[in-house]
């Protein structure tokens, strides 16, 4: 298992940020297909994003279907009290033997939101799992970092 931590600051308050995170239209602006299921008071957001084979290691890309997509599921709290919240996220892609579990820690400071993402990347392949995890970490780090930056302007 590999771990990854990313940080990003947003100019909006925590409630506005969580509302944006649970908005299908925002995800669609980022090039993803999204659907929301309301589980009172929370929202489960499923986000599907195409994964071009050119972004993956060639050994992995050659074994994947031509239209691979990353499926992320976010559990967004709907009843946040105070200045802290936690969003859970899992991600997977069909044909890719890797699972991602993440916690997004959100803290409101002076009407701005500070996000810290802690992700664990694990592979179910015996013996070669560590190599696959190592190859996927830089790809995930770049994609997640880009998404966090783009999410601010969406």
């Amino acid at each position: 298992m590999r771990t990854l931590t990313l940080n990003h600051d947003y100019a909006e308050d925590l409630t506005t940020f969580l509302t944006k995170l649970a908005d299908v239209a925002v995800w669609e602006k980022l090039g993803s297909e999204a659907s929301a299921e309301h589980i009172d008071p929370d929202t489960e957001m499923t986000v599907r994003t195409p994964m071009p084979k050119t972004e993956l290691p060639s050994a992995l890309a050659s074994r994947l279907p031509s239209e691979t997509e990353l499926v992320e599921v976010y559990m967004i709290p709907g009843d946040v009290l105070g200045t802290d919240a936690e969003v859970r996220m899992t991600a997977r892609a069909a044909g890719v033997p890797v699972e991602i579990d993440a916690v997004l820690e959100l803290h409101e400071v002076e009407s701005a939101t500070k996000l810290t993402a802690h992700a664990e990347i694990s592979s179910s392949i015996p013996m070669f799992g560590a190599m696959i995890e190592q190859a996927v970490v830089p790809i995930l780090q770049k994609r997640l970092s880009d998404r966090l930056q783009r999410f601010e302007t969406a």
Side-chain angles (χ1 to χ4, degrees), residues 14-37:
L14 181 60
T15 302
T16 303
F17 180 81
L18 288 170
T19 299
K20 194 173 179 181
L21 193 61
D23 186 346
V24 170
V26 170
W27 290 102
E28 289 173 350
K29 286 181 189 174
L30 296 175
S32 299
E33 177 186 318
S35 62
E37 180 179 342

Side-chain angles (χ1 to χ4, degrees), residues 113-140:
T113 300
K114 296 186 174 294
L115 178 145
T116 302
H118 301 283
E120 293 180 349
I121 300 100
S122 58
S123 174
S124 57
I125 305 265
M127 294 184 4
F128 297 107
M131 289 186 299
I132 293 169
E133 292 165 6
Q134 185 174 349
V136 169
V137 167
I139 297 162
L140 177 63

Side-chain angles (χ1 to χ4, degrees), residues 64-138:
L64 296 177
S66 60
E67 295 184 21
T68 300
E69 66 180 6
L70 179 67
V71 178
E72 301 160 272
V73 178
Y74 294 84
M75 186 55 75
I76 304 163
D79 59 353
V80 175
L81 300 174
T83 58
D84 297 320
E86 189 174 273
V87 174
R88 298 230 173 244
M89 186 271 282
T90 59
R92 60 179 166 48
V96 180
V98 173
E99 293 214 4
I100 301 160
D101 290 305
V103 174
L104 308 178
E105 295 175 353
L106 304 167
H107 306 284
E108 184 177 324
V109 179
E110 298 178 4
S111 297
T113 300
K114 296 186 174 294
L115 178 145
T116 302
H118 301 283
E120 293 180 349
I121 300 100
S122 58
S123 174
S124 57
I125 305 265
M127 294 184 4
F128 297 107
M131 289 186 299
I132 293 169
E133 292 165 6
Q134 185 174 349
V136 169
V137 167

